[in-house]
Amino acid sequence: MTQILVSALLWLLVLSLLILRRGRADRSILWSALTIAGAMTLNIDGLYRWVDHLLGGANLVTLVADLALMLGIFFLGRAVAKATEYRPRVVRFALGRVVLSVALVCTVVAFAFVDRGVTTTTFMLNFGTQPAAAAYSMTQFAYDAIVLTAMAAVATRQIRLGRVDRLPAVSLLIGSALGLVLAAVVIAMDIAHLVGDISLMLGLGVAYSPLFLSTFLFLCLGLASQPAMRWMRARSRASATRRLVAQTTPIWQRAILVRPGMSQQDAGFSAADGETRLHRQLVEIRDAAVDPRVLFELSNAESVIVDAAEAHLLGRGADTNARSAQAATGATP
């Protein structure tokens, strides 16, 4: 059930990223979500048995899914690092291709030495007494811990600086911390299983599913919340731009009556995007106001509207500026 829930959560993340990050050049987060979602999906029992049967019934799906998960964690760490200027050498090294390559090679080699038997959906439970199987599992989670430590350092830096929205960084920090605890629990379980302390292994195993689910829940929240918040801000700014265009249009129309502007000769002006239209209207309003050859003055209310529109284009308090302009015109929000 945990695998199904995590898979559903990750495919939902993929869908949201496809919608919210359209047109963005950096695809690291999307590749991360896709590879991790694929890895989790392959670990669903029914699908695992079917695919492994196609591959010869030697539990090769375990290797494919785990390598995909490691690649997904690699892309995730790179995506988080690219979102900030804080990239010290140790972080770059931890998230680099060298560490990934070493981890992948060690994982494949360890897997090759495991006596795997027939298809099983409880790979480590069945084969965890073998040193090669323990090395296989511990290598993966050691690599995950390295990447998650680097991500936690980056997220902590972002929170301290306070230059970004805190929700994504806090969510990533919590998810990384939970992932580190999960890695420690799994490695301890592997060691306990290897030395024959089954009671300790089962006791630690109680924490596995809650940690696994909560780790991916917070990581997904951190990955999805940043583009979601960016999308909401863009929608809010577009709405404020439309209001300001509507409020400056009467002033602009009065200005071009006494001083015709370039927009009257531009057939595409009416179809221009909101910010371009607003900018052109403000330029022609200001040109009319400073031209000594024409009689054009702004009232106090009109000055408030024009000032608010200019501040909006400069990126200072879009909603506040739009509401100030509405108050000046006596309009309701």
Side-chain angles (χ1 to χ4, degrees), residues 91-161:
V91 169
R92 293 199 305 271
F93 179 74
L95 301 177
R97 291 184 176 89
V98 173
V99 176
L100 172 67
S101 299
V102 171
L104 291 175
V105 170
C106 291
T107 299
V108 172
V109 171
F111 185 84
F113 283 96
V114 178
D115 183 8
R116 299 185 296 276
V118 297
T119 298
T120 176
T121 57
T122 53
F123 184 85
M124 287 306 298
L125 193 60
N126 287 9
F127 309 122
T129 55
Q130 300 180 40
Y136 170 76
S137 175
M138 287 189 285
T139 300
Q140 297 169 56
F141 281 92
Y143 174 74
D144 294 344
I146 290 171
V147 175
L148 290 170
T149 300
M151 285 172 49
V154 171
T156 301
R157 173 78 171 182
Q158 288 178 322
I159 294 168
R160 272 187 199 158
L161 292 177

Side-chain angles (χ1 to χ4, degrees), residues 43-59:
N43 278 315
I44 296 173
D45 289 354
L47 182 62
Y48 179 97
R49 292 191 186 94
W50 180 71
V51 176
D52 197 62
H53 175 72
L54 294 178
L55 296 178
N59 291 298

Side-chain angles (χ1 to χ4, degrees), residues 212-267:
F212 190 80
L213 182 59
S214 56
T215 294
F216 281 99
L217 177 64
F218 279 99
L219 289 178
C220 287
L221 178 61
L223 293 175
S225 58
Q226 189 170 30
M229 294 172 76
R230 189 183 297 116
W231 178 79
M232 288 189 289
R233 280 198 301 269
R235 295 263 299 184
S236 176
R237 182 172 177 82
S239 177
T241 300
R242 287 193 296 271
R243 290 198 299 270
L244 288 166
V245 167
Q247 290 155 7
T248 56
T249 295
I251 308 171
W252 168 73
Q253 289 173 337
R254 190 164 64 83
I256 61 175
L257 282 176
V258 296
R259 188 183 187 279
M262 291 295 295
S263 59
Q264 291 176 293
Q265 304 171 25
D266 186 354

Side-chain angles (χ1 to χ4, degrees), residues 245-302:
V245 167
Q247 290 155 7
T248 56
T249 295
I251 308 171
W252 168 73
Q253 289 173 337
R254 190 164 64 83
I256 61 175
L257 282 176
V258 296
R259 188 183 187 279
M262 291 295 295
S263 59
Q264 291 176 293
Q265 304 171 25
D266 186 354
F269 176 68
S270 61
D273 69 87
E275 297 211 7
T276 300
R277 184 181 178 90
L278 181 61
H279 177 262
R280 292 277 289 275
Q281 290 187 175
L282 291 174
V283 168
E284 293 181 1
I285 289 169
R286 289 301 190 190
D287 285 347
V290 300
D291 192 335
R293 297 170 299 173
V294 300
L295 183 61
F296 179 80
E297 292 183 358
L298 295 172
S299 68
N300 289 337
E302 289 173 334

Side-chain angles (χ1 to χ4, degrees), residues 3-23:
Q3 294 290 348
I4 295 174
L5 288 174
V6 173
S7 297
L9 187 64
L10 285 161
W11 286 116
L12 183 62
L13 172 64
V14 170
L15 181 62
S16 67
L17 291 175
L18 286 172
I19 295 171
L20 297 174
R21 293 180 63 87
R22 285 178 298 179

